[in-house]
Amino acid sequence: MYNTILVPVDISEDPLTDNAIKHAEYLAKISNAKIHLFHAVPDISRFSVSYSYHYDLLNAFAKKAIANSEEELKKVIEKIDLPESRLSFSVAFGSPRDKVLSTAREIGADLIVVGSRRPDISTHLLGSNASGIVGYANISVLVVR
């Protein structure tokens, strides 16, 4: 049914991530699909321009943020009950919605499984990232709570 399932991961939101991964793992097992985990690190370039931070300092921060995120994703992958050959991950800087959608295109995903927290009045039915992904995706999106 599915070949490649993309799971956006917020490494600071374990329950949100765990629920989405459980669903993706189940779907991957029954359809022999691959799972690709993805984490978006907030883009700090606007912050740097506004506050005139030095490029070297920001570059060091960026490398550390990527390395930390990759280590956290490796820990998450270790918990998934699938062969290593069917698991992958990536990290990028930028808006979660935009980066999830571009990653889905890049890896040829045919399903996005995204966790969503309880919405507030401004996001109505979904969390803001889940809402943006659902609204702009051109592939199926499963929202898990």
Side-chain angles (χ1 to χ4, degrees):
M1 178 174 227
Y2 299 110
N3 294 313
T4 304
I5 301 170
L6 174 61
V7 184
V9 173
D10 184 340
I11 58 177
S12 66
E13 293 274 352
D14 288 343
L16 198 65
T17 296
D18 291 346
N19 289 338
I21 289 174
K22 285 177 192 173
H23 281 76
E25 183 178 346
Y26 173 76
L27 292 170
K29 283 180 178 179
I30 64 174
S31 59
N32 202 32
K34 295 178 182 178
I35 293 179
H36 183 90
L37 303 181
F38 173 77
H39 176 70
V41 177
D43 185 3
I44 57 167
S45 61
R46 282 181 253 156
F47 178 82
S48 67
V49 171
S50 299
Y51 295 98
S52 302
Y53 276 91
H54 196 270
Y55 175 78
D56 291 339
L57 177 64
L58 292 174
N59 193 35
F61 170 78
K63 287 180 181 179
K64 184 74 170 168
I66 293 285
N68 287 346
S69 298
E70 288 175 343
E71 286 304 313
E72 291 300 316
L73 289 178
K74 286 177 186 175
K75 291 177 188 175
V76 173
I77 278 183
E78 289 174 1
K79 298 176 188 176
I80 300 174
D81 183 28
L82 287 174
E84 192 176 315
S85 62
R86 291 174 42 200
L87 299 169
S88 60
F89 69 88
S90 61
V91 177
F93 280 99
S95 151
R97 181 199 71 193
D98 295 342
K99 291 301 180 178
V100 166
L101 297 174
S102 65
T103 300
R105 282 189 300 275
E106 289 168 14
I107 66 169
D110 43 14
L111 176 67
I112 300 171
V113 178
V114 61
S116 179
R117 67 180 55 85
R118 184 172 295 276
D120 62 21
I121 193 67
S122 67
T123 54
H124 304 290
L125 298 176
L126 298 173
S128 58
N129 287 327
S131 180
I133 292 167
V134 168
Y136 289 92
N138 58 7
I139 61 173
S140 295
V141 179
L142 172 61
V143 179
V144 178
R145 288 215 172 123

